[in-house]
């Protein structure tokens, strides 16, 4: 797996195993994550791609009976973020996540975006306003909501809500941004806006995206990993995976023969 | 960014430590708050036991009230409570189940069922003493039932009616539609479906609601005082079983009565400490009864939930 | 053919009697309103509404009776205020603890025991307030009289906790998991998630729970009748004896008041005041509960 050798790494997954109680959901996963690149995870539903993504900000720690084995090394400080010695809260403050279904809080647009900063104890009004505006501009939402940032977030459309969730994740300057099928609940127009946005964001942040939509992976990502039954079957540059897959299973999947 | 990454992480760690401290503090406050209720319940039981336990004996259950605290007992009170509860159950249970069935199985979504539903919710929030005033005007003076067991039982019956209805509706609602469809597919009528399937399958929940309702009724004092139940009853109501044909009688329904919470209230109101001991003893009996009934209801709920899984 | 007609008639008959049973609840409400209004209107023939609402003395059984409801209303509000000051914060904290913090096993044990608090007969609580809590409080507050608003207020507060906590907890549990995850994913603690996200999300349900708690406290009778004294005292001092609307009704009913006299009618006047206080709270609470369903 030397496809990433010429890129600086932001994180590296080594020998990752994950268990829901006794059921092993991830088997021996290895994966380098290149800095300020977009890495996509594809695979049939139930293959473990969401489980894998949720390891990155320790969401599995919220529920009892889950267990990690192996390492996810975060650079530059070489921190193993799934080590039990590392506080999941610290990991989540450094690595943000955007969910499958837009999940804004029942608060104003402003308070939604400022949430992560408030959680860090930040209450200076000017600073918050500056950060909120910046995040909303980054998430291409500012133009649409600048006159109603004190309206309830529930009043936005689905696509706007998802971009709000992206702004919320960006406001804290995360080192990695995780996307868990971010467009599966949206219509095509909203989807293409989000895809465009994701490609813009890679200038500033390392992105990991799970998607059930192969075209989406082909359009937005630099690297693609194909997962099947909890294992990484193939990992390569996106062009390569979609044009000349080296494993037969990958080829069958991307040509729609199963999944 | 990477340059001040280390400094950043140090700062984040400090913040996290503070956040977690608050989190732990609240965890402790939450646990303590939950314990307040237990502490009260525990202290209450210990206090009653210390004050009243020595007074509990055969004599206490077989004596009428008396001017002499050591001779007084709760005979007329527990007999009264038993008879009143029979009337309460007879009034509230069939009526409540029928109303619950109508609202869940028959009533269409229209203004009438909506009104009944809002009204039922409202009745559940009416203070019990208001039911006492209703009974005073309706049963005692308008229907001329007097200050009788019948009046007392009906009053408490109305009081727990919303509870029975709500319990019935909840357990009927838990039955999946496929059961109804299976019954209709075999050619059953609506009533046959209700009688053969809905009622038997929701029996556990209805029984639980009924027991909790009755345990509430046993402890109710205010509405019974309002209808003018006497506090000093040194005789028993007439017997429901007679020696002559037809060997039973309903004369007891119109007899005056007292119930245990009233007896206890009466003893608390006396200035002499010796009567307070009687009050504590009556309190033990009353508390034990309601705790047993509630415990039984919790057990039933647990068992039925385990047995039937849709 | 005849059997079919018979069956149809039987079905109709059954449906009709079930409908009558359901309608009985409306009949009960109408009877309550009618009887309270009828007797209260009789009362207002003898006493002016103005005197009733603004008079500062309530002495209906004196030779020269005064019929100002204010002392009873302030008494009710005073005890309710004390009870609510205990029940609302503690009930809310318990709800947060049970919904967000407590492990499954603790929840399984804690909830039925909390429900028991609401099942204990109120006359037993009255005994406890008068003969256990008041003497203890008197050690700390020497000028606390034997009958007072404080002790029954505190006991009532604890008694009401389960009403507040169970409805609040239900509405917190109804907040979808993905909203919680959104907060945890930002690095929030449980405490931050509970206070910044769960409570605002469950606001309608918590409001409904608070209103149920307040309404319970206003209508509670025996604890105050036993431990607060029977003095219609226009005061907001929790250390003094007072009388609530409910306790007044009990007090009169204990004596021998002939049917149809003004004294008899006073309990209905007090009753209708109480009824409208709780009715308006119940309607407000119902409105909030309806709103819960609209959010998600």
């Amino acid at each position: 797996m030397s496809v990433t050798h010429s890129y600086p790494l932001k994180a590296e997954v080594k020998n990752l195993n994950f268990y829901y109680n006794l059921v092993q959901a991830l088997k021996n996963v290895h994966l380098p994550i290149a800095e300020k690149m977009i890495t996509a995870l594809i695979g049939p539903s139930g293959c473990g791609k969401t489980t894998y993504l949720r390891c990155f900000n320790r969401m599995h720690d919220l529920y009892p009976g889950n267990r990690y084995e192996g390492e996810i090394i975060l650079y530059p400080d070489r921190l193993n973020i799934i080590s039990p010695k590392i506080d999941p809260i610290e990991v989540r403050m450094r690595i943000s996540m955007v969910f499958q279904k837009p999940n804004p809080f029942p608060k104003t647009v402003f308070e939604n975006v400022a949430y992560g900063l408030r959680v860090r104890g930040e209450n200076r009004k000017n600073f918050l306003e500056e950060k909120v505006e910046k995040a909303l501009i980054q998430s291409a939402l500012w133009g649409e909501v600048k006159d109603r940032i004190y309206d309830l977030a529930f009043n936005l459309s689905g696509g706007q809500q998802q971009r709000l969730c992206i702004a919320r994740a960006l406001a804290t300057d995360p080192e990695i941004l995780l996307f868990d099928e971010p467009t599966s609940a949206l219509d095509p127009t909203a989807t293409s806006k989000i895809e465009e946005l994701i490609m813009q964001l890679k200038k500033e942040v390392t992105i990991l995206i799970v998607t059930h939509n192969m075209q989406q992976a082909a359009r937005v990502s630099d690297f693609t990993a194909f997962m099947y039954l909890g294992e990484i079957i193939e990992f390569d540059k996106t062009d390569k995976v979609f044009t000349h897959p080296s494993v037969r299973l990958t080829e069958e999947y991307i040509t729609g023969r199963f999944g | 960014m990477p340059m001040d990454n280390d400094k950043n992480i140090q700062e984040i760690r400090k913040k996290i430590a503070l956040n977690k401290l608050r989190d732990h503090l609240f965890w402790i406050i939450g646990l303590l708050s939950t314990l307040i209720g237990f502490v009260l319940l525990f202290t209450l039981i210990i206090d009653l036991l210390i004050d009243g336990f020595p007074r509990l004996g055969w004599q206490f259950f077989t004596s009428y009230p008396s001017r002499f605290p050591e001779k007084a007992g709760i005979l007329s009170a527990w007999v009264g409570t038993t008879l009143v509860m029979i009337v309460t159950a007879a009034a509230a249970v069939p009526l409540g189940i029928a109303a619950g069935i109508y609202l869940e199985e028959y009533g269409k979504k229209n203004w009438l069922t909506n009104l009944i539903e809002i009204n039922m919710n409202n009745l559940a929030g009416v203070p019990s003493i208001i039911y006492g005033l209703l009974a005073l005007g309706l049963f005692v003076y308008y229907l001329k039932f007097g200050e009788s067991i019948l009046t007392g039982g009906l009053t408490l019956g109305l009081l727990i009616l919303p509870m029975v209805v709500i319990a019935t509706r909840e357990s009927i609602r838990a039955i999946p539609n496929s059961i109804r469809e299976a019954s209709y597919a075999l050619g059953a009528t609506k009533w046959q479906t209700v009688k053969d399937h809905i009622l038997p399958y929701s029996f556990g929940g209805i029984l639980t609601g009924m027991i909790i309702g009755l345990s509430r009724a046993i402890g109710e004092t205010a509405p019974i005082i309002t209808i003018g139940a006497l506090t000093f009853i040194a005789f028993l109501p007439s017997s429901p079983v007679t020696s002559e044909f037809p060997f039973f009688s309903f004369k007891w329904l119109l007899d005056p009565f007292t119930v245990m919470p009233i007896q206890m209230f009466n003893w608390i109101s006396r200035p002499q400490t010796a009567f307070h001991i009687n009050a504590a003893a009556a309190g033990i009996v009353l508390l034990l009864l309601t705790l047993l009934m509630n415990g039984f209801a919790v057990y039933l709920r647990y068992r039925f939930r385990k047995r039937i899984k849709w | 053919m005849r059997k079919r007609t018979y069956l149809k008639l039987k079905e109709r008959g059954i449906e009709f009697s079930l409908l009558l049973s359901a309608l009985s609840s409306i009949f009960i409400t109408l009877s309550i309103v009618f009887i309270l209004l009828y007797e209260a209107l009789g009362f207002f023939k003898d006493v002016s509404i103005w005197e009733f609402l603004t008079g500062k003395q309530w002495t209906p059984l004196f030779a020269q009776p005064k019929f100002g409801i204010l002392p009873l209303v302030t008494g009710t509000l005073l005890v309710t205020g004390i009870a609510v000051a205990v029940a609302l914060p503690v009930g809310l904290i318990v709800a947060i603890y049970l919904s967000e913090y407590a492990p499954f096993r603790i929840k399984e044990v804690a909830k039925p025991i909390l429900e028991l608090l609401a099942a204990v007969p109120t006359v037993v609580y009255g005994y406890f307030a008068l003969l256990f809590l008041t003497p203890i409080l008197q050690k700390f507050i020497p000028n606390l009289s034997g009958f007072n608003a404080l002790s029954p207020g505190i006991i009532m507060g604890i008694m009401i906790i389960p009403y507040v906590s169970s409805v609040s907890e239900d509405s917190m549990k109804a907040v979808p998991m993905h909203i919680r995850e959104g907060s945890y994913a930002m690095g929030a603690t449980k405490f931050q998630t509970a206070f910044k996200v769960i409570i605002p999300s469950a606001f309608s349900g918590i409001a409904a729970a608070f209103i149920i708690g307040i309404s319970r406290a206003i209508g509670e009778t025996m604890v105050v009748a036993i431990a607060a004294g029977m003095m219609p005292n226009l005061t907001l001092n929790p250390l003094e004896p007072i009388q609530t609307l409910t306790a007044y009704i009990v007090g009169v009913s204990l004596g021998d008041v002939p049917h149809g006299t003004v004294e008899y009618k006073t309990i209905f006047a007090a009753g209708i005041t109480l009824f409208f206080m709780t009715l308006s709270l119940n309607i407000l609470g119902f409105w909030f509960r309806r709103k819960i369903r609209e959010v998600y």
Side-chain angles (χ1 to χ4, degrees), chain B residues 16 19-20 22-24 26-27 29-31 33-38 40-41 43-45 47-48 51-52 94-103 106-108 112 114-131 133-138 141 158 161 189-192 194-195 212 215-216 218-222 225-228 231 261-262 264-265 268-269 276-277 279-280 283-284 286-287 290-291 294-295 298 301-302 305, chain C residues 7 10-11 14-15 17-29 31-32 35-36 39 89-90 92-94 96-98 101-103 106 108-128 130-132 155 158-159 161 163 187 189-192 194-195 215-216 218-222 225-226 230 245-247 249-251 253-254 257-259 264 267-268 270-272 274-275 278-279 282-283 286 289-290 293:
Chain B
I16 293 175
N19 287 351
K20 287 193 121 176
R22 290 201 188 119
D23 195 48
H24 282 120
F26 185 79
W27 181 79
I29 292 172
L31 190 62
S33 301
T34 311
L35 284 176
I36 288 181
F38 304 158
L40 174 79
L41 211 53
T43 324
L44 184 89
I45 292 170
D47 180 48
L48 281 180
D51 292 354
L95 196 61
I97 294 178
I101 291 174
Y102 182 83
L103 290 174
Y106 286 83
K108 292 158 196 73
L112 186 64
N114 206 12
L115 182 73
I116 295 174
E117 183 154 3
I118 294 175
N119 182 54
M120 204 66 87
N121 275 316
N122 182 46
L123 274 184
V126 170
S128 63
I129 196 158
I130 299 285
Y131 283 92
L133 291 177
L134 163 70
L136 182 63
L138 183 67
Y141 290 115
L158 296 188
L161 183 67
T189 63
K190 196 156 207 172
W191 173 242
Q192 284 168 331
V194 167
K195 176 178 58 122
I212 290 180
S215 88
R216 196 63 46 89
I218 281 190
E220 270 300 339
T221 323
I225 294 179
T226 314
I227 59 174
T231 49
I262 298 223
M264 181 178 173
F265 173 60
I268 299 173
S269 323
H276 293 167
I277 291 171
I284 296 173
L286 210 48
L287 194 62
T290 47
L291 293 190
N294 276 276
V298 169
R301 197 187 314 165
Y302 177 75
R305 201 169 49 185
Chain C
L7 263 181
K10 189 180 158 200
E11 287 283 319
I14 285 167
E15 179 166 355
S17 45
L18 292 176
L19 173 65
L20 281 187
S21 311
L23 284 175
S24 67
S25 73
I26 300 215
F27 170 74
I28 296 171
T29 306
S31 316
I32 291 176
I35 283 171
L36 289 179
E39 299 285 359
V90 178
L92 182 62
I93 291 171
V94 169
I96 295 172
Y97 175 75
L98 289 180
Y101 283 80
I106 290 190
E108 283 287 281
V109 180
K111 284 170 73 171
I113 297 185
L114 274 175
E115 275 174 44
L116 283 186
L117 272 183
V120 173
T122 51
V123 64
V124 175
Y125 280 125
Y127 174 92
F128 191 69
L130 179 69
L131 299 173
F132 183 84
I155 293 294
I158 302 179
M159 188 180 113
I161 290 173
Y163 290 100
T189 57
K190 284 185 176 175
F191 176 72
Q192 289 170 319
F195 277 83
S215 169
R216 281 280 147 188
I218 289 179
E220 176 41 46
T221 309
M222 292 319 291
I226 291 170
M230 285 286 185
L245 288 160
T246 52
I249 299 172
V250 164
S253 305
L254 282 173
V257 177
H259 179 51
Y264 172 82
I267 59 175
F268 289 90
I272 203 162
L274 180 68
F275 182 71
T278 54
L279 181 71
N282 289 344
I283 291 173
F286 186 74
R289 258 181 291 171
R290 279 253 155 128
R293 285 175 227 159

Side-chain angles (χ1 to χ4, degrees), chain A residues 38-42 49 99-100 162 166 179-199 207-224 238 242 253-254:
Chain A
I38 301 179
T39 306
L41 287 150
I42 58 169
K49 52 193 193 304
F99 294 79
Q100 196 167 359
Q162 192 62 306
I166 294 174
F179 285 95
D180 182 6
E181 307 199 8
T183 59
S184 63
L186 302 178
D187 63 60
T189 325
T191 298
S192 68
K193 268 192 185 166
I194 301 264
E195 283 181 8
E196 227 168 86
L197 174 61
I198 291 172
M199 286 187 275
I207 290 173
L208 202 54
I209 177 170
V210 160
T211 175
H212 62 287
N213 177 339
M214 278 174 280
Q215 285 75 28
Q216 185 167 68
R219 278 193 300 264
V220 304
S221 68
D222 303 296
F223 296 97
T224 296
T238 300
F242 282 96
Y253 180 70
I254 58 175

Side-chain angles (χ1 to χ4, degrees), chain B residues 23-305:
Chain B
D23 195 48
H24 282 120
L25 271 179
F26 185 79
W27 181 79
I28 292 167
I29 292 172
L31 190 62
L32 289 179
S33 301
T34 311
L35 284 176
I36 288 181
F38 304 158
V39 170
L40 174 79
L41 211 53
F42 187 73
T43 324
L44 184 89
I45 292 170
I46 298 295
D47 180 48
L48 281 180
L49 283 179
I50 290 174
D51 292 354
F53 189 72
R55 192 67 190 79
L56 286 177
W58 185 247
Q59 177 269 333
F60 188 66
F61 289 95
T62 54
S63 306
Y64 292 110
S66 157
R67 280 185 296 125
F68 308 102
E70 64 281 1
K71 282 189 187 166
I74 55 167
L75 177 63
S76 48
W78 73 255
V79 172
T81 288
T82 312
L83 293 176
V84 168
M85 281 311 118
I86 291 172
V87 178
T88 301
V93 173
L95 196 61
I97 294 178
I101 291 174
Y102 182 83
L103 290 174
E104 280 305 310
E105 296 292 318
Y106 286 83
K108 292 158 196 73
K109 270 260 155 247
N110 58 22
W111 65 272
L112 186 64
T113 48
N114 206 12
L115 182 73
I116 295 174
E117 183 154 3
I118 294 175
N119 182 54
M120 204 66 87
N121 275 316
N122 182 46
L123 274 184
V126 170
S128 63
I129 196 158
I130 299 285
Y131 283 92
L133 291 177
L134 163 70
L136 182 63
L138 183 67
F139 299 137
V140 178
Y141 290 115
Y142 184 72
L143 295 173
K144 307 235 169 7
F145 292 162
E147 290 134 7
S148 62
I149 292 176
L150 181 63
T151 300
L154 290 178
T155 310
L156 297 182
L158 296 188
L159 184 71
I160 67 167
L161 183 67
M163 298 178 69
V164 179
V165 175
I166 289 166
T168 305
R169 296 188 63 180
E170 273 175 7
S171 43
I172 289 182
R173 215 174 297 157
I175 300 173
N177 235 346
S178 55
I179 296 283
R180 291 178 187 84
E181 285 173 359
S183 169
Y184 289 133
L186 292 170
T189 63
K190 196 156 207 172
W191 173 242
Q192 284 168 331
T193 306
V194 167
K195 176 178 58 122
D196 298 336
H197 301 282
I198 305 299
L199 271 182
Y201 306 155
S202 55
F203 177 72
I206 297 176
L207 191 65
T208 310
M210 188 188 102
I211 293 171
I212 290 180
L214 285 179
S215 88
R216 196 63 46 89
I218 281 190
E220 270 300 339
T221 323
I224 301 286
I225 294 179
T226 314
I227 59 174
L230 299 178
T231 49
F232 194 91
I233 296 261
F235 52 86
L236 289 181
S238 35
S239 166
V241 185
T242 53
S243 55
E244 287 159 41
F245 188 80
F247 305 114
F248 61 87
S249 138
F250 285 109
K251 207 169 153 288
W252 56 274
L253 279 174
L254 292 174
D255 285 339
F257 69 104
T258 190
V259 289
M260 289 204 295
I262 298 223
Q263 187 61 65
M264 181 178 173
F265 173 60
N266 177 258
W267 280 331
I268 299 173
S269 323
R270 305 283 186 95
Q272 303 94 320
T273 323
F275 278 115
H276 293 167
I277 291 171
N278 285 355
I284 296 173
V285 179
L286 210 48
L287 194 62
L288 203 66
L289 261 177
T290 47
L291 293 190
L292 280 179
M293 288 172 88
N294 276 276
F296 186 55
V298 169
Y299 166 76
L300 274 182
R301 197 187 314 165
Y302 177 75
R303 264 207 54 184
F304 278 101
R305 201 169 49 185

Side-chain angles (χ1 to χ4, degrees), chain C residues 15-261:
Chain C
E15 179 166 355
F16 186 67
S17 45
L18 292 176
L19 173 65
L20 281 187
S21 311
L23 284 175
S24 67
S25 73
I26 300 215
F27 170 74
I28 296 171
T29 306
L30 289 180
S31 316
I32 291 176
V33 174
F34 176 78
I35 283 171
L36 289 179
L37 273 181
Y38 178 80
E39 299 285 359
L41 284 179
F43 170 78
F44 288 121
K45 269 186 200 141
D46 301 326
V47 179
S48 81
I49 290 201
W50 182 249
E51 184 194 342
F52 181 72
L53 290 178
T54 59
K56 292 192 176 109
Q57 276 181 303
W58 180 261
T59 53
L61 304 178
F62 284 14
Q64 283 191 330
K66 293 253 168 66
F67 298 100
I69 195 76
L70 275 180
L72 297 186
V73 171
T74 53
T76 301
L77 293 181
L78 176 61
V79 178
T80 301
I82 297 167
V84 158
V86 175
L88 301 196
V90 178
L92 182 62
I93 291 171
V94 169
I96 295 172
Y97 175 75
L98 289 180
S99 149
E100 307 297 317
Y101 283 80
F104 182 72
R105 288 215 178 137
I106 290 190
K107 248 192 279 195
E108 283 287 281
V109 180
K111 284 170 73 171
I113 297 185
L114 274 175
E115 275 174 44
L116 283 186
L117 272 183
V120 173
T122 51
V123 64
V124 175
Y125 280 125
Y127 174 92
F128 191 69
L130 179 69
L131 299 173
F132 183 84
L133 187 60
T134 298
I136 287 183
L137 289 175
Q138 276 172 327
K139 285 189 187 136
F140 299 99
I141 314 168
N143 57 340
L144 182 73
S145 56
F147 292 114
N148 59 73
L150 184 62
S151 165
I154 293 172
I155 293 294
M156 249 162 77
I158 302 179
M159 188 180 113
I160 291 168
I161 290 173
Y163 290 100
V164 178
S165 69
S166 78
V167 179
S168 306
E169 196 212 332
D170 284 346
S171 68
M172 290 179 192
K173 269 193 309 202
V175 176
M177 202 57 208
H178 64 91
I179 300 267
R180 263 184 204 90
E181 287 193 344
S183 170
Y184 288 130
M186 301 301 297
T189 57
K190 284 185 176 175
F191 176 72
Q192 289 170 319
T193 306
F195 277 83
K196 293 180 189 216
V197 175
I198 305 293
I199 289 182
S201 306
F203 176 76
S204 297
I206 295 169
F210 280 15
I211 288 164
I212 291 172
I214 298 170
S215 169
R216 281 280 147 188
I218 289 179
E220 176 41 46
T221 309
M222 292 319 291
V223 185
V224 274
I226 291 170
M230 285 286 185
M231 293 256 283
N233 203 344
L234 186 63
T235 177
L236 287 176
N237 181 354
L239 308 182
E240 285 179 29
I242 50 108
Q243 188 168 43
T244 63
L245 288 160
T246 52
Y248 171 73
I249 299 172
V250 164
V252 171
S253 305
L254 282 173
D256 205 15
V257 177
H259 179 51
T261 58

